[in-house]
Every structure is written in structure tokens, then in C-alpha cells.
Amino acid sequence: MSKISDAISEIQSLEALSRGPGFVNRLHPLGKLLLTVFFIAVTVSFPKYSLPGLITMAVYPAAVFLVADLSFGEALRRLRVVLPLVCVVGILNPFFDRTPVLTIGTLAVSGGVLSMVTLMVKAVLTVLAGYLLIATTPIEEICRALRLLHLPKVFTVVVLLIYRYVTVLLAEARRITQAYSLRAPGQKGVAWKAWGPLLGQMLLRSMDRAEGVYDAMLLRGFTGEFAAGREAKLRPADILWPVVWMLILLALRLFPVTSWIGNLFV
Amino acid sequence: MSHIHMDIENLTFAYGAGEPVLNGLNLHVAEDESVGIIGANGAGKSTFLRLLVGLHFPFSGSVRIEEIPLEKKTLAKIREKIGFVFQDSDSQLFMTTVGEDVAFAPRNYGLPEDEVKKRVDDALEKVHISHLRDKSIYRLSGGEKKLASLATILSLTPDMILLDEPTVALDPRNRRNLIKVINEYDHVKLIASHDLDFIWDTCARTVLIASGKIAADGPTEQIMRDEALLQRYGLESPLSLTKR
């Protein structure tokens, strides 16, 4: 029960974070969306043994964490379920690729281990980039950016409504499980025999609530587009921020920056 | 004061192929009137209010708001003039914070951001909850939710407000507060409620609905003092009246 309440609070605090007054929050959503996609594409494009080059890509999330005044610890806490899963990516690589490609002191590192770590770093960086986008941009604005990219209205409306209904569904789940546990004292969890009617009730009630929410939206002028309420006018920063970052990321990808830095100390 | 009026003629509506919930209902609401809609459970009060804002189609008969007929193509215009407060505030409030929720309607109607801010300020001020602007919807009490729901529709500055069972789950203090807020609002009001004391405190005119028709219509005092009439339709005199 408390887990459901925690999940609702989590969604709402993330949404509140995205509506913050910070510099990154106020940037145009299209620039942020394109920059995130660009970052992910560049990150994914690194060869499987290019770990040093890939690590330099962390400069972007690090900068956003600093500029947007976001807590890295909080991000890790929020992504605690996803990160272990993405780290599983490539876990079998060490078994298939045993050729040593690197020596650290007396320790030979196989290609499989290196590619596994590279894949993990890629996964963590891309997940972090996604998190930074949603932590600095409300869902309505992300969908507005998608609409500016000519994605069909039906797609963005479905995304927005699902997002709105998740809380409704969770609240309904909490109510129903609370009612159940109050009448099943001492019982841990929900008995398997009760799952059917419980899920059925939850579905019916959620549909009812979702319909109510949709009616309330219609009555207040909802026509399928969420008005985000931010300035539509482009400011120089809206263009400069993504363009400068794209150039930096491209430079990090194309030039051996880590070797240059290393040579400075040798 | 608003100068909006409503004419309803022979209004009939049924859910699907079922029995009519509203059956030939006629009503004229003049400008600036506060009308209480009372009736036993299942009398059709909520359906009636929901129908007036176009949440139920099709129906037979006619509904005209300021000469604008209630049709699918006129819904946007009508919904700009009429604000509807749901019985269940959890359905009414769906954004993150009170301020965001109150801003939802003016933004959807394409008002500039400066105007949206002013509307939000005014609406919150009217229901005396300016201090709740940044509070999460999830953290509101029942009374705060009801006032926030009212603010969400006031931000469109409607000429008429419809309230469906506004006092459900309100404690006496919040109830008193709501009465004060509603009485301060000097536009047309239609309030459906079982709480006859609330109707007594907020409405000069009362309409009693039974079996989808108007069973009685008159000054609130006259209807509320007619114990025989109320009992016939499964209602009881307001407590405050029986004490007097």
C-alpha cells in the first residue's frame, strides 16, 4: 500500500521538478528533445572498445545536473529499478570474447569485459539523458515538441492521457488494496483467490475515474492539445544551448579528446 | 452580475435503451438566479446538470443558454459560459498543483500567459485559497479540494456555475466556508444537493425533481416548509428549519 503511495508521490515530485523555474526548465522543449536524441545517438555510436571516449560523454549529463541544480543521488534513487536492468546488458559478452585487449598493471582485460562495461556505460548515459529531459521538461511540453516534429496528434494525446491516468490507476489500486487489507487482518499480500475480483474491480473503477477526469478536461476546453503555458517565443538561449552542446558532443565523438588530455600529462 | 438565462423545454433523456431519467422537463432560469435542485436518490439531478454542459448526448427537447442551443457544435461556446463542479473532486483535479489545475482551462482557451496568471490569481482569491497555489493536488484535504475544484472553473469567469452535491464529505467549517464563497459569487447558480440546509443557505429558488420531471418549483422557503411535499418525494425538511 505504502509502495503505491510512494509511486504516486514519486510521479508528482518528478512532475513538480519538471515545472521548476530553472534555466534548463525554461528552454524550448524542441531544443531539449533534439539534444537528448542527438546525445543518445552519439553515445550509442561509439565502438564497443571505446570506453575512454565514451566516458567523456558524461560531461553533458554532468553539466545538466549542475546547471539545472538537480541532485545526482536523487536521480540514482529514482532510477534504482531501471539501472540494474540496463546494467545486465552485455553481461554475456565476457564469455564469448576472451581475447585480451588491454592490460592494467598485470591484469589483462578481455575484449568481452571491456565491451560489457562499454555497453553498461552507454545504457546508463542514455537512461540518464532521458531522465534529465523529463526532470526539466513537463510532459505537455515534450508532447508539444513531438507535435512540432509533426508526430500525429493521436500519438501525443495517447501519451498524455496515459500519463494522467497512471496516477488515477495507482490511486484506485491503493484504495482497493487498503479496503482488502482492512478486512484481511494478519494476511500478507492478497490471496490468489481474490486477485480476479480485485483486478476486475480495479479496472472498472479506474475506467470510471478516467472517464470522470476526461469529462472534466473536456469541460475545461481540452481539444486534444495540452497547453503547456510557457512562452512560445524562441529566445537565443533556446537555440544556443542545443547547438553548442551538439557541437561539443560531436567533437567528443570525432576527435580523440582523451588521448590529447592524456598526452598533456605524459 | 451576469445576464445569462437558460430555457429548457420538454427535456427527455435515457441512458441507452433504458427508462428515461429525465422525462419532459421544462425549466426557465432567469439571470442572476440561484436555483437549488433537490430530489431523492436516482431522481435525475446529476444527470440533469451533466446534460446541461453537454456530457450526455443525444437527448430530445431543447436547451438554450442565452439563445445558444445546446448542440455538439456549440459545446465550446457553452462550456466557456457554464462551469461545472463535479461531485467527486478527484475527477475534477488532475494536474500537479492547484495553480496548474486552475490555469488548465484558460490555457486551453488560448489566453496569453499574463492573462492566465491574472485569472488564476483572481480565481484563487475568490475562493480564499491563494496560499494553496503551489500545493500538490494529492496533498489537499477534502474541503480544500472542493474549493480548488470551484477555482478551476472560476478561472474561465463563467456566467453560470453548476454544482453537483458540493457538500459531500465536507466538515461543518468547510461547509460554512463553501456557503460563503458561493453566496459571494453573484452569477447564475444551479446547485444539485441532498443537503437541504445547504440549499436553504445558498438558493432563493428550489426545484424538486422526481421521476425525471419537475414535481415542484418555487421559493426555497415555500418548498422547504412544505413537509408533506418533501415527504411525498422521499425528502425531509432541513434540520435548521425544524429547529426554528
Side-chain angles (χ1 to χ4, degrees):
Chain A
M1 282 180 299
S2 63
K3 278 185 183 168
I4 300 176
S5 296
D6 289 349
I8 296 174
S9 297
E10 197 87 344
I11 292 172
Q12 294 191 328
S13 69
L14 192 59
E15 198 167 331
L17 199 64
S18 72
R19 292 177 197 282
F23 168 76
V24 184
N25 297 64
R26 280 182 287 117
L27 289 170
H28 197 281
L30 184 58
K32 285 187 277 184
L33 179 69
L34 290 177
L35 178 55
T36 305
V37 172
F38 186 81
F39 174 82
I40 292 171
V42 173
T43 303
V44 170
S45 75
F46 273 88
K48 60 180 182 177
Y49 298 144
S50 293
L51 186 59
L54 185 64
I55 286 171
T56 59
M57 295 297 285
V59 70
Y60 168 69
V64 179
F65 271 111
L66 282 173
V67 177
D69 199 20
L70 295 170
S71 158
F72 184 64
E74 189 69 10
L76 290 182
R77 196 185 62 76
R78 286 206 167 103
L79 299 174
R80 64 190 177 277
V81 182
V82 186
L83 286 179
L85 290 176
V86 297
C87 285
V88 171
V89 177
I91 205 148
L92 292 176
N93 286 17
F95 299 103
F96 295 113
D97 183 0
R98 296 172 183 224
T99 324
V101 288
L102 185 73
T103 315
I104 303 171
T106 54
L107 186 72
V109 179
S110 71
V113 170
L114 192 60
S115 66
M116 179 189 74
V117 175
T118 306
L119 267 176
M120 284 176 176
V121 173
K122 278 183 186 180
V124 169
L125 285 176
T126 50
V127 169
L128 275 180
Y131 169 78
L132 288 171
L133 178 69
I134 58 168
T136 55
T137 320
I139 189 82
E140 296 86 2
E141 290 205 358
I142 294 175
C143 286
R144 181 157 69 100
L146 291 172
R147 290 285 293 140
L148 289 172
L149 292 173
H150 297 285
L151 247 82
K153 187 171 163 180
V154 65
F155 174 79
T156 54
V157 170
V158 167
V159 169
L160 286 166
L161 291 182
I162 286 174
Y163 185 76
R164 287 281 157 245
Y165 292 159
V166 162
T167 326
V168 171
L169 189 72
L170 287 172
E172 223 38 77
R174 185 187 51 194
R175 265 188 217 119
I176 218 158
T177 48
Q178 273 173 347
Y180 176 88
S181 62
L182 287 172
R183 284 185 287 156
Q187 188 178 309
K188 275 191 177 178
V190 177
W192 67 269
K193 276 183 183 172
W195 271 106
L198 220 68
L199 284 174
Q201 276 297 320
M202 201 172 82
L203 182 71
L204 288 173
R205 286 199 210 174
S206 304
M207 280 166 65
D208 210 35
R209 282 283 307 280
E211 205 176 303
V213 169
Y214 186 63
D215 282 346
M217 287 160 73
L218 287 179
L219 291 183
R220 287 194 273 154
F222 179 67
T223 54
E225 302 275 13
F226 269 77
R230 302 267 171 149
E231 289 298 325
K233 219 166 43 179
L234 272 181
R235 297 166 306 140
D238 294 326
I239 298 164
L240 282 175
W241 174 266
V243 169
V244 169
W245 269 112
M246 282 181 193
L247 291 173
I248 294 171
L249 296 174
L250 207 59
L252 291 173
R253 174 69 185 88
L254 296 177
F255 304 109
V257 180
T258 43
S259 300
W260 293 348
I261 295 169
N263 289 338
L264 289 176
F265 297 98
V266 177
Chain B
M1 291 263 183
S2 63
H3 300 285
I4 195 171
H5 57 90
M6 179 188 276
D7 287 294
I8 298 159
E9 283 174 26
N10 207 22
L11 183 63
T12 302
F13 173 77
Y15 289 102
E19 289 290 305
V21 182
L22 300 174
N23 197 0
L25 193 144
N26 293 292
L27 184 70
H28 171 78
V29 179
E31 51 194 54
D32 310 330
E33 265 196 311
S34 290
V35 183
I37 313 286
I38 61 170
N41 284 339
K45 304 185 295 294
S46 295
T47 303
F48 174 55
L49 291 194
R50 290 170 65 85
L51 197 144
L52 297 181
V53 284
L55 288 178
H56 296 310
F57 277 107
F59 57 82
S60 67
S62 81
V63 176
R64 302 181 80 83
I65 291 125
E66 243 190 353
E67 307 311 326
I68 304 168
L70 175 62
E71 293 166 358
K72 282 192 174 165
K73 62 183 177 196
T74 59
L75 277 183
K77 220 180 234 182
I78 282 177
R79 286 171 177 173
E80 210 175 342
K81 289 179 183 298
I82 304 182
F84 181 73
V85 180
F86 285 73
Q87 179 176 339
D88 177 14
S89 301
D90 287 328
S91 296
Q92 184 107 26
L93 305 167
F94 45 81
M95 297 296 278
T96 341
T97 62
V98 174
E100 283 295 323
D101 220 303
V102 177
F104 182 82
R107 279 187 187 140
N108 273 317
Y109 278 90
L111 297 180
E113 205 49 28
D114 290 349
E115 178 64 17
V116 171
K117 193 182 170 303
K118 190 180 167 302
R119 295 278 189 107
V120 172
D121 290 343
D122 290 349
L124 293 174
E125 184 65 36
K126 270 182 193 155
V127 297
H128 313 295
I129 55 165
S130 298
H131 58 288
L132 299 178
R133 174 193 294 272
D134 298 319
K135 193 166 179 181
S136 164
I137 292 298
Y138 183 57
R139 306 271 174 224
L140 297 178
S141 70
E144 288 172 339
K145 274 186 190 169
K146 191 54 80 180
L147 292 174
S149 299
L150 193 52
T152 63
I153 62 149
L154 295 185
S155 60
L156 262 188
T157 60
D159 293 310
M160 179 185 287
I161 55 170
L162 314 182
L163 296 106
D164 189 9
E165 297 291 356
T167 57
V168 168
L170 288 190
D171 63 24
R173 190 171 161 218
N174 278 309
R175 191 175 163 283
R176 257 199 316 278
N177 194 16
L178 186 65
I179 290 170
K180 183 171 169 271
V181 167
I182 287 176
N183 286 336
E184 281 170 359
Y185 189 74
D186 56 1
H187 293 291
V188 183
K189 285 162 269 185
L190 258 71
I191 305 172
S193 183
H194 281 116
D195 184 347
L196 299 195
D197 286 278
F198 184 79
I199 298 292
W200 173 271
D201 286 328
T202 53
C203 301
R205 178 183 168 196
T206 293
V207 169
L208 196 161
I209 295 183
S211 308
K213 285 184 176 167
I214 292 183
D217 181 358
T220 298
E221 184 162 3
Q222 183 191 315
I223 301 272
M224 300 292 180
R225 288 194 187 280
D226 191 341
E227 275 186 48
L229 172 80
L230 294 177
Q231 274 181 9
R232 201 180 320 140
Y233 292 105
L235 299 168
E236 288 177 0
S237 299
L239 279 175
S240 53
L241 202 60
T242 51
K243 278 183 200 163
R244 280 177 188 134

